[in-house]
Amino acid sequence: MSHKMAYRPDIDGLRAVAILLVCIFHFRLLPIGEAGFIGVDIFFVISGFLITRIITDGLSAGKFRLGTFYYRRVRRLYPAMLVVLVLYLLAGWILFLPALFEELAWETLFSSIYGINIYLWRSVNYFGVQADSKPLLHMWSLAVEEQFYLFYPLFLIGLYRLCRGRSGQLLGIVVVFMLGSFALGWFASYWKPQAAFYLLPTRAWELMAGGVLAMVVQRGLLPKAFVRLAGPAAVLLLGAAMVLHHGQIAFPGWFAALPVLSGVLFIVAGQDMHTPLSRLLSSRPMVFFGNISYPLYLVHWPVKIILQDGFAEDTLILRALGFGLSILLAAVIYACVETPVRTGRWLPAPQRFLGLTAGLQAGVLAVCALIFTTQGLPERFDPQVRQVLSYTSDAPREFIGCEYSSGGVRFDCIVGDPDAVPETLLIGDSHLYALSGALDLMLRQQGASAVLSFAYGCLPVRDAGRFQCRDFVRDVFARAENTPQIKTVLIASAWTRPYSAGGSYFYDGVLLQGARGLKMFETKLAETVVRLQQAGKAVILVDPMYRARHPVPQALARAAAFGTQWPLDMPRADYDAQFAHLFAQFEVLQERGVRRVSLVDDLCRSGTCPALWNGKPVFTDATHMARHMQGYFAQVLADSLADMF
């Protein structure tokens, strides 16, 4: 028989665990925080548990009202979020350059209607480099929760009527749906990883896990021995998730089951309030962080972005100050906004509350529309700033359609002389795309042409990376090997993938790390070259570009706008050290007849690799060469490859 759940301070303590994991991860305060994003999965479990108790208690008592449920959720969650969004827009108006301010406006719009997870699904890899600069990246999880809150009560009401109140049947059906969502998330993590990470259907099982637990608790199905063992098991599972996670694990996949089960077991353990774990979670410091966990989650990422955008050096002291400032802001919002609105001290009348909220929301949407229709209100800055920022879009856009897709290689994507028969294949990642303008110019001057195919973030080496990248490389090289007119293959890449995350990378679908990973990269690179040579193809390897210390146009614009002077140039010695292992492999392949091209020798001849050339940015960001450099790089390529075209 159902009974109303008493206040559980240990659940507030569990919220504290979740938010501290997230903040440690995002502010990079401790090495153990590298998997701290799993705190979101614990939040999902808590939300599912509490919401299910509210709904099922109300249904059992015949007092559940859908409108009241939605109203209370809005009153509990929306005011604090709206305040943070407004403050963030004000800060962005003062501090952000147009591109970031425009992106903030778009993300504010989608956040305010709880649809930002869908927006991010189409544009951002959460674990990718660009994710770190998205101003409201963290709001995806709140969107998932609110979407769940929208549909889940209707789902439970329908099941309750179908089962005629029989809690056992209700529990069984929810378990089936939970397992179905888990299976979908596991499969989609490999098939459609972005969708699996961001979207409700592949995340609903995490909230439903809390819901299943709520129903089990209501039915009194937890043995006391299990409750006693749950605490140690929860700690072990959480520790395992922190230790075992690495950057190449598909998430959520099967791995999310570790933090989710941990969250479930923490709540189970709290059924006995006398254990050391329950007393720890119920302590005043933990309850404090649990109470401010929602506003802390809201503000910590904006604070991180503002500090990251405003300071050249990302130091531990700065990140710790950001964490401290986030706690202070969260405490103020909790005391001055969240609590008085939630308890009815402010705006107790529903009509006034909803009217004011709707008015503020309309104002936010109008401001956002103004910002993104003007592309970030660039008039806030003088023409010099806007001129420098124009280099961020200085890319060979006519070749963007040459990006590889699941439809296969486009052998009609030609660079160079359109009247010449293409005898060269150009394959690589976004760095090849950045170089495509120079290759096009060089080939036109030589009266030659080439097929261009690139895929963002894919290492152009056989059997390397996730399956999408393996498909790309396999398809492109197979077409080259089986096309007699293709005589030469040029490979260009950032060449950083094998060396990121301590040498962790997938080869043949298996993650290899450290020395094993580097050794396999050597093997796969050699195999790639040898197979092409055996097919009668000449092979050209392009050395990687260096990386400026900060995105160049943005740094120059900040200098013009705010007077900040950020270091940009890279010492040639640092570049050589970064790629020492790669260059050693290239030298071995040169002995086997591979042609090698360096784009940086002349640029870095003084011992410094410059961010500016003839007074203009070399890059559109920190490492992708700008199109206005195509004449220079076309000449470098022509001088190096004069006998091949």
Side-chain angles (χ1 to χ4, degrees), residues 37-92:
F37 62 90
I38 61 177
V40 168
D41 304 280
I42 296 174
F43 274 128
F44 283 163
V45 174
I46 296 170
S47 295
F49 178 80
L50 296 176
I51 290 302
T52 301
R53 286 303 303 262
I54 291 171
I55 297 171
T56 54
D57 283 345
L59 289 173
S60 298
K63 296 180 179 179
F64 182 76
R65 298 293 180 269
L66 198 59
T68 302
F69 173 84
Y70 289 145
Y71 171 71
R72 287 177 177 173
R73 298 285 73 71
V74 171
R75 191 169 190 105
R76 163 75 174 81
L77 299 172
Y78 208 77
M81 183 187 74
L82 200 58
V83 166
V84 170
L85 293 178
V86 169
L87 291 176
Y88 202 7
L89 285 172
L90 289 173

Side-chain angles (χ1 to χ4, degrees), residues 111-129:
S111 294
S112 68
I113 60 174
Y114 292 113
I116 192 171
N117 60 323
I118 298 171
Y119 173 79
L120 294 172
W121 158 50
R122 304 301 300 172
S123 58
V124 182
N125 176 1
Y126 182 84
F127 300 103
V129 174

Side-chain angles (χ1 to χ4, degrees), residues 424-445:
T424 301
L425 169 68
L426 312 173
I427 178 174
D429 55 15
S430 59
H431 282 239
L432 174 65
Y433 168 61
L435 186 61
S436 60
L439 286 161
D440 178 60
L441 180 59
M442 184 270 289
L443 289 166
R444 286 176 183 272
Q445 292 169 347

Side-chain angles (χ1 to χ4, degrees), residues 420-635:
V421 175
E423 297 184 344
T424 301
L425 169 68
L426 312 173
I427 178 174
D429 55 15
S430 59
H431 282 239
L432 174 65
Y433 168 61
L435 186 61
S436 60
L439 286 161
D440 178 60
L441 180 59
M442 184 270 289
L443 289 166
R444 286 176 183 272
Q445 292 169 347
Q446 303 294 327
S449 67
V451 176
L452 172 65
S453 190
F454 68 93
Y456 283 98
C458 288
L459 182 68
V461 172
R462 288 185 179 277
D463 306 317
R466 295 277 178 83
F467 71 91
Q468 301 100 322
C469 290
R470 297 201 301 273
D471 288 348
F472 160 64
V473 174
R474 183 187 63 248
D475 290 355
V476 175
F477 281 147
R479 287 292 298 271
E481 292 168 2
N482 297 317
T483 305
Q485 73 185 46
I486 297 295
K487 303 294 193 297
T488 304
V489 176
L490 181 147
I491 306 174
S493 170
W495 296 113
T496 54
R497 293 276 171 175
Y499 306 103
S500 60
S504 299
Y505 205 62
F506 275 102
Y507 299 96
D508 294 310
V510 178
L511 181 73
L512 298 178
Q513 303 182 23
R516 291 181 64 207
L518 292 178
K519 184 63 178 177
M520 185 57 72
F521 169 65
E522 297 172 18
T523 301
K524 293 299 182 181
L525 177 61
E527 287 179 0
T528 300
V529 170
V530 168
R531 280 195 56 171
L532 289 169
Q533 290 177 327
Q534 289 175 344
K537 317 299 179 184
V539 179
I540 302 169
L541 294 175
V542 180
D543 284 3
M545 279 298 293
Y546 56 87
R547 184 180 186 87
R549 295 175 65 179
H550 297 280
V552 181
Q554 293 90 333
L556 296 176
R558 291 195 66 82
F562 305 117
T564 57
Q565 298 295 329
W566 289 5
L568 295 173
D569 296 345
M570 182 183 199
R572 175 63 190 258
D574 290 353
Y575 169 78
D576 290 337
Q578 179 185 3
F579 292 107
H581 177 267
L582 177 72
F583 292 157
Q585 308 317 307
F586 280 11
E587 289 169 6
V588 170
L589 295 172
Q590 280 182 280
E591 296 174 0
R592 299 178 182 176
V594 170
R595 181 68 67 89
R596 181 178 165 192
V597 177
S598 172
L599 301 173
V600 307
D601 284 346
D602 186 57
L603 279 170
C604 304
R605 64 181 180 273
S606 67
T608 298
C609 299
L612 298 177
W613 188 253
N614 294 330
K616 296 180 180 179
V618 174
F619 306 116
T620 59
D621 46 25
T623 188
H624 292 91
M625 61 192 73
R627 173 149 195 167
H628 74 85
M629 297 288 295
Q630 69 178 6
Y632 172 84
F633 287 116
Q635 189 59 53

